[in-house]
Amino acid sequence: MKRSSFLFLLATAAFTFTSAHAAEKPRVLLLGDSISMGYTPVVQKLLADEMTVLRPMAKNGKAENCGGTNSGVANIDRWLQIDGGKWNVIHFNWGLHDLKHVKADGKATSDLATDPPQATVEVYEKQLREIVGKLKATGAKLVFATTTPAPAEPMKVYRNNADVIRYNEAAVRVMKENGIPVNDLYAFTQPRMKELQIQPANVHFTPAGSEALGAEVVKAIRAQVK
């Protein structure tokens, strides 16, 4: 083989290897309820050139709501295998569904403070520990997002911001024990609730609010891939 032909083949092989290597973007999994469903497209857009960002999807092609830790414990194994698994970073949250109040059947939501939460803070912490154990077993870098605030005004589903704080405290305790960094979306949102959340009295966010949360999530993810 002529030297020129050999060098051409070598250069071609090197280019092919480099291109394939560049295509292997870090893989990110987002787990969370409707709040994360709102910021997922923002995160995917902002990280499109750097990472592959996925989340659970329902059979109808729409984003799947990961609900409370009851749902988390039941589905975490399935979610971790999305698109073959092998995650570099997992950004996750549970809490807003756990602390909402439900009827005696445990399914229908309630607007009454006298009805119980979906999961008590003790059950929430126990189940969150179980989920974290499975997340750690993946070897991915983990980031927990605190639950965002609940308005003080009455809502169709009863949530109390004092409970948000209690559940966040329990979650942060679990994260500290496991060495998992916390993306404090509660602290980010709390001073700007009227600006970022749907009005009046809604735990969900406006498009601009989801954009703001998404930008915070991107910062937290990028910090783990440096």
Side-chain angles (χ1 to χ4, degrees), residues 51-87:
M51 307 176 203
T52 299
V53 181
L54 300 173
R55 69 162 297 115
M57 301 295 290
K59 292 181 179 179
N60 61 5
K62 294 183 179 180
E64 181 179 353
N65 191 323
C66 297
T69 55
N70 292 344
S71 177
V73 167
N75 293 286
I76 189 62
D77 292 330
R78 172 173 64 86
W79 292 332
L80 290 176
Q81 293 306 312
I82 291 170
D83 193 42
K86 298 180 181 179
W87 308 104

Side-chain angles (χ1 to χ4, degrees), residues 140-198:
K141 293 183 178 179
L142 308 178
V143 183
F144 176 80
T146 53
T147 297
T148 47
E153 299 84 359
M155 294 176 286
K156 292 181 180 179
V157 179
Y158 183 84
R159 289 182 173 95
N160 188 308
N161 198 59
D163 289 333
V164 176
I165 294 171
R166 288 195 307 123
Y167 282 60
N168 275 339
E169 288 173 345
V172 169
R173 182 163 57 246
V174 173
M175 302 312 142
K176 284 184 177 179
E177 291 174 6
N178 286 276
I180 298 171
V182 173
N183 182 11
D184 198 351
L185 295 183
Y186 178 92
F188 173 76
T189 303
Q190 200 276 330
R192 305 173 61 187
M193 291 171 67
K194 297 296 184 183
E195 171 195 353
L196 301 178
Q197 289 182 325
I198 296 171

Side-chain angles (χ1 to χ4, degrees), residues 20 22 29 37 45 56 97 114-115 121 127 134 141 145-146 167 175 187 189 217 219 225:
L29 177 63
M37 289 162 64
K45 178 182 177 181
H97 280 263
T114 50
D115 280 328
V121 69
Q127 295 188 149
K134 295 196 173 185
K141 293 183 178 179
T146 53
Y167 282 60
M175 302 312 142
T189 303
V217 173
K219 289 179 189 176
V225 229

